[in-house]
Amino acid sequence: MTEWTEHAAALADDVTHPQSRWRDAVRSTPRHLFVPRWWWAEQNGALLADGPADPGLWMRVAYSDTTLATRLGTLHADHAEPGDRPEWWPTSSSMLPSLVVQMLRHARPAEGMRILDVGTASGYSTALLCHRFGSEHVTSVDVDPYLTEAARERLAEAGHRPELVTVDATKELPGTYDRIVAMVAMPRIPASWLRALRPGGRLVTTLSGTTLIIGAEKTPDGGAVGRVERDWAGFMHARHGPDHPPRLIERFSHAKDDEGEEVSTGRYPVLNIDEVWEVRTHLTLTVPGVEAHFEEHEGQRTAWLFHPDGSWARASAEWTAPPEVHQSGPRRLWDALERIRNRLNTEGALPLYGASARITPEGVVHLSRGNWQASIGNQR
C-alpha cells in the first residue's frame, strides 16, 4: 500500500495553517482506516467504493478534503454488496477534514479538559482529539451501535482508546464535560447537554436546517451565552434511530400539481433554497420545521416548501422569469421566503452571523443582532 503518511501530510498542509495546533493531529491520523468503504453519488443512485481493492484510489480519496458518505438509509458501506444501489439519503459520513478541524477550533479545548465528541460516525474527529489531548480525556457518542463499535476497533488500530458510548445524544449523557462539540446538526440544544456541561464549560454545535455554528459558555443559571460564529457549517441532522424520519415530500405528493388554495405570481426567480445557505438559514429561523425540494428540467425550475402543519408551496418558472406560485395550508410559505429575499435585497445582508446567542437551561436558543431577534428550540 502507498505510504499513507505522505498523503496525511499533504492533507494537513491543505486544511491547517502551519502554526495550527491541529496540524500534527491531521498529519498523524490515518484517515483511510476510518473509511475503508464509502459511497459515490451517481445520477442513477449510489455506487460502492472499496478502498483495499484499489489502494491508490483509497489514498487519494481518504486524504482529500472531501466528505465521504459511509451510510445511506440503513445500509452502511461496510455491509454492502457491489451491486447495491441505495437511494442517496446519507445517514452517516466522514465529514471533510477542514470542517472537522474548524469545529474543533471553535470548541477551544485545552490540556486536561474532558471533551465530548457528539456524533462518532467514522471516528475521525475522535481520533484527532485523542491524538492531541489523550484518549483518557475524550468521550464520543453516537446513536448507532455499529458506528461506535467499528470506530472502537479502528481507533484502537490507530493507537487510541477513548470512551465510546452508544446513546441518543438528545437524552442523558454519560458524564460531565468541559467541552461538548457536535459533528451533527441538532434541532435544538438538548437540556441534557447543559446539565452535562461543567461550570464555565463550552459547547459548539450547528442547528438543523441552518448553517449557524453556535458557540456558548455555561452560565451560573444553567444556561449558556455566546454567539453565532462568523463562520458556517452544514452537518447531517442528528437521528434518533436507524434512519432519519421520512421526508415531508412523501406526505405531500398532491403538491406536485395541485392548484392549492391561492395562486399568485412571485416577485423573485425560483431558486434551489437548500443551496442558498443564508436564505435557507433565515427561513428555518422564521418557519422552524420547513423542508424544501427543487427540480430543474430543460430550463424549467420548480421549488417546493413543506411544513409539518400541512402547509405547502410550489413555485415554477423558466430560468429567471417570475414564477407561478401555488400555496395551501395555514401558512403561506412562499410569502415568508419572499419577505426574506426582499430583506436581503434591501439591506444587502441578513443579520445572522455574529449574532448574540442566549441559551436557556431548557435549550431554547434566543438570537439577536441589532433590532433583529429569533428563537429556535421552543417548538416541541
Side-chain angles (χ1 to χ4, degrees):
M1 181 185 298
T2 305
E3 180 56 53
W4 68 267
T5 55
E6 297 177 8
H7 295 275
L11 177 62
D13 290 344
D14 186 29
V15 304
T16 64
H17 186 273
Q19 277 74 53
S20 171
R21 296 176 182 177
W22 293 102
R23 173 160 285 211
D24 186 61
V26 177
R27 290 175 63 96
S28 303
T29 298
R31 189 183 184 216
H32 69 283
L33 291 182
F34 299 95
V35 280
R37 301 176 113 203
W38 65 95
W39 296 105
W40 295 114
E42 293 203 333
Q43 189 171 6
N44 297 325
L47 179 66
L48 182 66
D50 189 317
D54 189 341
L57 174 68
W58 192 14
M59 293 299 107
R60 290 194 302 274
V61 172
Y63 294 97
S64 62
D65 191 26
T66 305
T67 293
L68 300 177
T70 54
R71 191 178 186 274
L72 301 180
T74 59
L75 183 59
H76 197 288
D78 290 352
H79 304 142
E81 298 295 333
D84 289 333
R85 301 299 291 265
E87 178 187 3
W88 191 262
W89 183 232
T91 50
S92 190
S93 64
S94 180
M95 292 299 295
L96 64 164
S98 61
L99 179 55
V100 173
V101 170
Q102 173 185 340
M103 292 298 288
L104 296 177
R105 286 179 54 248
H106 283 304
R108 303 174 192 163
E111 299 295 334
M113 288 183 173
R114 289 283 302 162
I115 306 165
L116 177 67
D117 176 22
V118 178
T120 307
S122 71
Y124 180 71
S125 57
T126 310
L128 296 182
L129 284 167
C130 289
H131 178 85
R132 185 166 168 200
F133 298 108
S135 298
E136 66 276 16
H137 296 291
V138 179
T139 299
S140 185
V141 297
D142 202 291
V143 72
D144 191 319
Y146 176 71
L147 295 181
T148 52
E149 188 53 40
R152 190 189 316 279
E153 294 175 4
R154 291 162 185 170
L155 284 160
E157 189 174 352
H160 306 304
R161 288 174 173 78
E163 182 180 14
L164 288 158
V165 183
T166 302
V167 66
D168 183 339
T170 64
K171 311 297 183 184
E172 291 303 311
L173 296 175
T176 59
Y177 309 94
D178 301 290
R179 295 291 185 268
I180 297 175
V181 57
M183 301 296 170
V184 290
M186 306 300 295
R188 56 183 287 129
I189 307 293
S192 61
W193 290 18
L194 294 158
R195 290 192 294 270
L197 200 61
R198 293 175 175 175
R202 178 174 172 83
L203 65 83
V204 175
T205 188
T206 55
L207 296 175
S208 299
T210 81
T211 55
L212 302 182
I213 302 173
I214 305 291
E217 283 78 33
K218 188 168 184 177
T219 49
D221 67 355
V225 295
R227 67 172 185 174
V228 177
E229 300 293 343
R230 292 186 181 274
D231 200 352
W232 54 40
F235 279 97
M236 197 174 298
H237 301 333
R239 53 188 170 90
H240 305 286
D243 202 350
H244 293 301
R247 287 163 283 188
L248 288 179
I249 191 173
E250 298 177 23
R251 283 175 43 193
F252 287 86
S253 58
H254 59 282
K256 185 77 173 178
D257 47 26
D258 268 13
E259 191 74 4
E261 298 170 353
E262 181 181 300
V263 182
S264 62
T265 300
R267 181 175 181 181
Y268 300 106
V270 176
L271 50 70
N272 185 349
I273 300 156
D274 283 337
E275 296 297 324
V276 188
W277 288 2
E278 196 170 2
V279 171
R280 181 65 173 93
T281 293
H282 208 294
L283 182 62
T284 294
L285 294 174
T286 304
V287 190
V290 67
E291 293 184 13
H293 180 69
F294 176 82
E295 294 180 7
E296 183 172 2
H297 302 288
E298 298 181 348
Q300 185 76 11
R301 298 157 64 89
T302 305
W304 288 264
L305 295 173
F306 311 105
H307 193 270
D309 69 3
S311 302
W312 62 267
R314 182 182 73 251
S316 186
E318 290 191 9
W319 193 227
T320 59
E324 181 177 271
V325 180
H326 298 255
Q327 301 187 84
S328 195
R331 304 174 194 244
R332 294 295 177 256
L333 298 176
W334 201 261
D335 292 355
L337 175 64
E338 293 227 320
R339 286 193 291 271
I340 292 168
R341 296 179 73 180
N342 188 60
R343 180 170 190 166
L344 177 60
N345 288 345
T346 301
E347 301 180 8
L350 295 172
L352 299 171
Y353 304 100
S356 297
R358 180 175 59 84
I359 307 170
T360 70
E362 296 74 34
V364 179
V365 182
H366 298 290
L367 303 175
S368 62
R369 184 178 174 193
N371 61 3
W372 173 79
Q373 296 182 346
S375 297
I376 193 165
N378 49 4
Q379 297 80 18
R380 292 183 180 272

